[in-house]
Amino acid sequence: MSKRNSQAAKTAARERLRVERERQAKKAKAKRQVVVALSVVGVLAAAGGIGYAVVQAGKPDYWESAKDAKLVKPANTSGKNGTTVVIGESGAKKTLELYEDPRCPVCASFEQTVGKTIEKDLADGKYKIRFIGASFLDRSLTGEGSKNALSALGAALDVSPEAFLAYKSALYSAEFHPEETDDKFKDDAYLIKVANSVDALKDNKQFQADVKDGTYDKWALEMSEVFDNSEARGTPTLMMDGKKVTGSDGQNAPMTVEEFTTAVDKALKA
């Protein structure tokens, strides 16, 4: 091979190497630009997400908004904001106050054990009962099941006092009452499922609409406030004439039929 051909070959090789280096440099530059662009988009998206989160955090949640909603009082109520719920024969001289939280497992045990006795006493005119609903477990356990169930109880009360009592019994039943940590009552569909076990509420379109629409959500919050401002510090709590009705321990609600009957009879004679 001549020197001239050898030199030409070297020149061609260097040219090919230069072109390849430029191609690789352009490719690397383009890649850097894509990475930078994606990084900017990511930052903007993150900023947008943070901004959205801040905006959302600044908005009240549904139940906060419900405080400002129009109050709809269920039928069969009285008193300020319709939060006085008294059931029983008008001739009964005394009233037993019953404080309960729908999510409360002890309330469920109380209702499953003593509930039928209370219903019989009401039918016999032994006393009237005033129901005060609570939702403090929504705060301590987080959730909204207590408030939502109270609202559904308001819808049942609007149907009739009998429907209210039967629905309350169903909510606390062994079949339907969830563990207190399971916020199952927040689900309207579940509350309606429970209601379908009650004759007066089964397939009741107005009741179902009131549950789904949250007709008595504001009322449920007002009822909860009555409990919060009361002397009761837990549930279930029973009171008559301003005094606690307790079991043999002198502290807690009577949890057997025998203890309940003994304690109530004593309170009725006081």
Side-chain angles (χ1 to χ4, degrees):
M1 179 182 292
S2 67
K3 292 183 178 179
R4 183 170 177 272
N5 288 338
S6 176
Q7 186 62 38
K10 291 180 179 179
T11 300
R14 285 196 295 269
E15 180 62 19
R16 286 194 300 271
L17 182 60
R18 182 188 66 78
V19 170
E20 178 61 21
R21 286 175 177 171
E22 287 183 355
R23 190 182 70 81
Q24 292 292 340
K26 288 180 181 179
K27 183 178 179 180
K29 181 179 180 181
K31 185 176 181 179
R32 286 195 302 272
Q33 288 174 336
V34 170
V35 171
V36 171
L38 290 175
S39 299
V40 171
V41 170
V43 170
L44 291 174
I50 293 170
Y52 177 78
V54 169
V55 170
Q56 290 302 105
K59 291 182 179 180
D61 66 15
Y62 172 77
W63 287 98
E64 284 294 320
S65 300
K67 292 179 180 179
D68 299 321
K70 180 181 178 181
L71 175 64
V72 180
K73 304 175 185 178
N76 306 301
T77 63
S78 60
K80 183 181 179 182
N81 298 327
T83 53
T84 301
V85 178
V86 178
I87 299 174
E89 296 294 326
S90 58
K93 295 181 179 179
K94 291 198 175 186
T95 301
L96 178 67
E97 295 181 348
L98 174 58
Y99 299 77
E100 292 180 319
D101 186 310
R103 291 176 69 180
C104 171
V106 184
C107 295
S109 296
F110 174 82
E111 287 282 345
Q112 291 168 28
T113 304
V114 182
K116 293 300 180 183
T117 300
I118 293 177
E119 290 180 16
K120 183 179 184 301
D121 288 349
L122 291 179
D124 293 343
K126 191 172 181 177
Y127 50 79
K128 294 188 288 288
I129 191 166
R130 180 184 176 189
F131 172 77
I132 299 95
S135 62
F136 67 91
L137 286 177
D138 283 351
R139 297 192 294 270
S140 59
L141 298 173
T142 69
E144 56 187 280
S146 292
K147 295 186 287 290
N148 209 36
L150 279 179
S151 179
L153 281 166
L157 184 59
D158 194 67
V159 174
S160 71
E162 294 75 20
F164 170 85
L165 289 176
Y167 187 47
K168 184 162 73 74
S169 178
L171 288 172
Y172 284 120
S173 68
E175 180 180 0
F176 293 117
H177 196 269
E179 295 291 329
E180 62 181 325
T181 53
D182 182 358
D183 196 23
K184 206 165 186 177
F185 288 159
K186 71 178 180 180
D187 185 356
D188 291 345
Y190 187 72
L191 293 175
I192 291 172
K193 175 183 177 181
V194 177
N196 280 331
S197 70
V198 177
D199 289 342
L201 301 177
K202 186 175 182 179
D203 298 324
N204 186 312
K205 300 305 180 185
Q206 185 58 58
F207 168 84
Q208 294 179 3
D210 286 336
V211 172
K212 293 175 182 176
D213 296 342
T215 302
Y216 300 105
D217 287 355
K218 167 74 170 178
W219 176 82
L221 296 178
E222 295 291 343
M223 176 63 82
S224 298
E225 191 171 333
V226 172
F227 173 85
D228 292 340
N229 293 329
S230 73
E231 295 181 12
R233 292 295 175 265
T235 55
T237 292
L238 279 65
M239 298 186 74
M240 187 177 284
D241 297 329
K243 296 180 180 179
K244 287 181 69 175
V245 177
T246 63
S248 57
D249 64 359
Q251 297 293 325
N252 301 303
M255 297 299 292
T256 67
V257 172
E258 183 180 1
E259 283 199 350
F260 174 81
T261 300
T262 299
V264 168
D265 285 349
K266 181 181 178 180
L268 288 170
K269 294 174 182 178

